[in-house]
Amino acid sequence: MKSAVETLNPTRVRLTVEVPFEELKPSLDAAYKKINQQVTVPGFRKGKIPARVIDQRFGRGAVLEEAINDALPKFYTEAVNEGELKVLGQPDVDITEFNDGDELKFTAEVDIRPSIEIPDYSGIEVTVDAVEVSDEDVEKSLEQLRERFASTAPVERAAADGDVVVVDLEASVDGEVLEDGIAKGVSYTIGSGQLLDGIDEAVTGLEKGGSATFTSELKGGSAAGREASVKVDVSDVQERELPTLDDDFAQMASEFDTLEELREDSRKRLARMKSYDQATQAQEKVLDALIELVEVPIPEKLLKDEIETRTHNLEHHQFPSLGLTWDTYLEREGKTREEYDAEVETQSVKGIKTQFILDELVTLEKLSVNQEELTEHLMRRAATSGMTPDQFAQAVVEGGQVPMLVGEVARGKALAVVVEAAKVTDTNGEVVDLEDEEDEEDETGETVEAAAETSEDAPAADGDADDKPAES
């Protein structure tokens, strides 16, 4: 076999491959054997039909076609390896010349990982928010805690904002009550926005036993996305009572004996949260600065596939579960379809650049991933997936996604190297030491994942040369 590589652009090549006919013999033998197992010819046992009989009964062309389908992936892979190419996705294959007994000639156009240069990144400087916890922050946190321990008591008055009402709901579309549009005994806090649009206005001012009707767009169920007439009956009005903020409350709501101890713990907790947010902000800004430093050609097909995947997942996976359509989604987001398309293209470009740059850094810095690091990452991913670690690990192995997880960890470590080399100061002019942050590599891993934002259905950034090429 002979092969040659022609560079079409920085991210795409054309392979020209010539295969002598004698090198097709193993695939021809395999083709005869496969056809032998699939067909029946009177007078011959299954699997024992001579090649000449198969040629006569089914045609030599069928055998040659089967042999080429078997041989193409192998010769394509050999050509990729000879050219030392890092291919992305599947090739476009064209058989340019082949006759029985003559050599096979074909071309394969395929995207490749571009060659990129990583400049000196030690001069990156970013500014992040300072970690400051105000008295107002602490009091707001305590108020939220009070809300969690609030109690309710029935009142004989009209419902007002913040009250809890117990209601029965009946939704109708085009004058007919929906089978799944009836709900009874629903507790709802007025002003929480956690039920139907329009219900706050409908129940405010109603007393126990009162009724009202309002129009709302249904968010789920059989009529999701449609306008419905909703009848609401109030069976009870309850006033929320917040506990007094004192030492007794501190003992009830926490492990502390005094309110002052609880207040101090809240301050420390908020400081930890803001420190985590600060570290995440630093990583995001350093990553953005790094991307600005590096020239990264983007493979057109890879970008197109990524955009299509993100849009498909939004439309076919997220919309149904949220009861959304394109119109309601765009209205909720306050953007046009053109603005959405531009935004998803920007996100896709950033995700692809992030992966290419950090993968190159992994190679340059000679970074590796050990079993402990992979296990920790798997545990964290399992926690966010709703699966147990064992279930998630099994799904990863069965789906052949272990290399993907290894890549995520390695990229997180690469970004951590860049962050460590960068100068990070806060808005007060103080130098931020991110080495003190716990789980720094996990945090950088999250930043990398957020930037890449590649779903499990998305095309992999690295293709496998062993994959069978699609014939054109």
Side-chain angles (χ1 to χ4, degrees):
M1 185 201 81
K2 294 191 301 182
S3 66
V5 179
E6 177 187 357
T7 299
L8 303 178
N9 61 49
T11 64
R12 193 165 180 83
V13 297
R14 179 189 291 122
L15 290 165
T16 301
V17 184
E18 299 178 3
V19 183
F21 188 81
E22 56 267 22
E23 292 187 31
L24 292 174
K25 188 176 186 309
S27 293
L28 278 170
D29 293 342
Y32 279 116
K33 184 175 181 180
K34 182 176 180 179
I35 294 173
N36 236 310
Q37 299 300 322
Q38 294 175 336
V39 301
T40 302
V41 175
F44 295 95
R45 287 183 297 161
K46 197 174 186 67
K48 299 296 183 179
I49 307 170
R52 59 180 176 77
V53 175
I54 290 178
D55 290 344
Q56 292 169 356
R57 294 293 296 268
F58 305 102
R60 173 75 166 177
V63 179
L64 293 174
E65 182 179 355
E66 181 65 39
I68 290 175
N69 285 338
D70 176 76
L72 273 178
K74 180 183 68 172
F75 292 117
Y76 165 72
T77 300
E78 287 183 13
V80 167
N81 291 337
E82 282 183 9
E84 298 181 345
L85 302 174
K86 297 178 180 178
V87 298
L88 303 170
Q90 297 297 315
D92 295 323
V93 176
D94 182 27
I95 297 173
T96 57
E97 186 178 323
F98 179 64
N99 292 303
D100 193 0
D102 293 334
E103 69 178 358
L104 166 67
K105 294 182 180 180
F106 69 90
T107 62
E109 288 191 17
V110 65
D111 285 336
I112 60 169
R113 183 178 287 267
S115 176
I116 59 178
E117 294 290 331
I118 305 293
D120 180 14
Y121 50 79
S122 61
I124 290 178
E125 297 184 10
V126 298
T127 302
V128 296
D129 295 334
V131 174
E132 296 175 339
V133 179
S134 66
D135 291 342
E136 183 181 351
D137 292 332
V138 175
E139 294 309 313
K140 183 178 178 180
S141 174
L142 293 176
E143 279 301 311
Q144 291 172 343
L145 190 59
R146 285 180 75 201
E147 290 280 349
R148 288 171 51 193
F149 284 86
S151 59
T152 59
V155 291
E156 298 296 330
R157 60 166 174 78
D161 188 47
D163 286 342
V164 176
V165 289
V166 180
V167 297
D168 297 334
L169 300 168
E170 184 180 272
S172 304
V173 174
D174 297 332
E176 294 190 10
V177 177
L178 300 171
E179 289 186 9
D180 56 354
I182 299 174
K184 295 186 178 295
V186 177
S187 292
Y188 174 67
T189 301
I190 300 175
S192 66
Q194 295 178 345
L195 208 53
L196 295 169
D197 292 340
I199 192 172
D200 289 337
E201 296 81 359
V203 298
T204 298
L206 294 182
E207 297 184 9
K208 178 179 179 179
S211 298
T213 301
F214 64 99
T215 301
S216 184
E217 182 181 294
L218 299 179
K219 303 300 183 184
S222 60
R226 298 185 64 184
E227 290 285 330
S229 175
V230 183
K231 182 174 180 290
V232 54
D233 297 321
V234 178
S235 59
D236 201 7
V237 178
Q238 302 170 356
E239 187 176 59
R240 300 179 76 248
E241 296 179 348
L242 297 177
T244 302
L245 204 57
D246 55 17
D247 290 348
D248 289 339
F249 172 73
Q251 293 167 20
M252 174 183 66
S254 71
E255 71 271 27
F256 301 106
D257 294 326
T258 67
L259 177 61
E260 200 51 46
E261 289 175 324
L262 175 59
R263 182 175 277 113
E264 185 58 30
D265 180 72
S266 296
R267 187 179 297 277
K268 291 177 180 178
R269 180 175 51 82
L270 290 171
R272 287 195 299 271
M273 291 172 59
K274 291 199 173 189
S275 292
Y276 180 89
D277 291 342
Q278 184 190 62
T280 301
Q281 185 184 29
Q283 291 147 13
E284 290 171 351
K285 289 194 170 188
V286 168
L287 177 59
D288 288 341
L290 178 64
I291 291 174
E292 285 295 319
L293 283 178
V294 186
E295 185 69 30
V296 183
I298 302 294
E300 290 183 10
K301 187 174 184 304
L302 182 65
L303 176 59
K304 180 174 177 290
D305 289 345
E306 177 67 11
I307 291 172
E308 289 178 352
T309 296
R310 292 181 185 229
T311 302
H312 176 87
N313 287 343
L314 178 67
E315 181 175 355
H316 296 281
H317 296 295
Q318 296 182 44
F319 281 2
S321 63
L322 298 173
L324 295 174
T325 64
W326 272 112
D327 288 340
T328 56
Y329 168 75
L330 293 172
E331 181 181 356
R332 188 186 75 174
E333 296 296 311
K335 64 183 67 167
T336 65
R337 181 58 191 267
E338 290 74 19
E339 289 171 334
Y340 164 81
D341 289 341
E343 186 177 283
V344 77
E345 180 175 355
T346 299
Q347 293 170 348
S348 299
V349 168
K350 181 178 180 180
I352 293 170
K353 284 186 175 182
T354 295
Q355 184 165 335
F356 285 171
I357 292 171
L358 295 182
D359 283 347
E360 185 67 22
L361 272 169
V362 168
T363 301
L364 289 176
E365 300 292 347
K366 297 181 173 57
L367 302 176
S368 60
V369 177
N370 60 41
Q371 186 61 48
E372 182 180 358
E373 291 167 335
L374 181 60
T375 300
E376 288 177 357
H377 184 65
L378 186 148
M379 298 280 283
R380 185 166 59 84
R381 287 291 302 272
T384 59
S385 72
M387 297 174 151
T388 66
D390 287 344
Q391 289 171 332
F392 187 79
Q394 182 177 355
V396 166
V397 173
E398 291 177 353
Q401 299 297 301
V402 173
M404 180 191 73
L405 286 188
V406 172
E408 290 175 356
V409 178
R411 291 180 201 114
K413 295 179 72 171
L415 180 56
V417 169
V418 182
V419 172
E420 185 178 350
K423 181 180 179 181
V424 182
T425 56
D426 65 20
T427 49
N428 292 332
E430 299 292 330
V431 175
V432 178
D433 185 5
L434 295 175
E435 292 184 5
D436 292 337
E437 290 300 316
E438 296 181 0
D439 301 322
E440 181 183 343
E441 286 177 7
D442 271 351
E443 291 169 17
T444 50
E446 291 176 6
T447 302
V448 170
E449 290 164 31
E453 208 177 29
T454 303
S455 71
E456 59 189 24
D457 297 324
D462 253 336
D464 188 340
D466 292 329
D467 287 341
K468 183 175 180 177
E471 293 185 49
S472 58

